[in-house]
Amino acid sequence: MATAGTGHLGTAPPVTARLIPNHRRKLRRFPYVVNGERVWVEVPNVGDDNGRHFPGVGEEAEREGLIRTVRIGAAECRLMASGPFIDFARRRLAQGLTQEGRH
């Protein structure tokens, strides 16, 4: 998995958050066309992190050697194996959410 231009905020942390029972949740609304008619659809989704946990988890994973930084063209990219990163991030996000009172 590679993230380019996103720091540690690629898709891995939000995907990982879905695996934690006490993750933040929010209802997303968007327009959708059903049988030629525009309707509003509501779906549950992972709530916004707003820089609270995701950046720190990425930085910790980088210090642990789970992420390596390389240059592809002019972009600084972070490369990681998804499985080990998700295992690490799941533990760290669960700890962070528990510490802020989400059980």
Side-chain angles (χ1 to χ4, degrees), residues 1-13 54-55 58 75-78 80:
M1 172 183 297
T3 59
T6 61
H8 296 104
L9 297 177
T11 58
F54 294 168
E76 182 177 276
C77 303
R78 288 174 171 79
M80 67 192 106

Side-chain angles (χ1 to χ4, degrees), residues 49-93:
D49 181 66
N50 295 323
R52 186 177 212 131
H53 298 289
F54 294 168
V57 168
E59 291 165 4
E60 287 179 47
E62 197 161 6
R63 284 193 300 273
E64 293 288 322
L66 296 172
I67 300 172
R68 63 187 175 104
T69 303
V70 299
R71 196 160 283 286
I72 300 175
E76 182 177 276
C77 303
R78 288 174 171 79
L79 304 177
M80 67 192 106
S82 298
F85 178 82
I86 288 172
D87 290 343
F88 176 84
R90 183 188 311 186
R91 285 190 307 274
R92 293 300 295 127
L93 287 171

Side-chain angles (χ1 to χ4, degrees), residues 32-64:
Y32 193 72
V33 177
V34 177
N35 296 326
E37 183 181 340
R38 182 179 165 182
V39 297
W40 282 94
V41 177
E42 294 182 344
V43 295
N45 203 345
V46 172
D48 297 325
D49 181 66
N50 295 323
R52 186 177 212 131
H53 298 289
F54 294 168
V57 168
E59 291 165 4
E60 287 179 47
E62 197 161 6
R63 284 193 300 273
E64 293 288 322

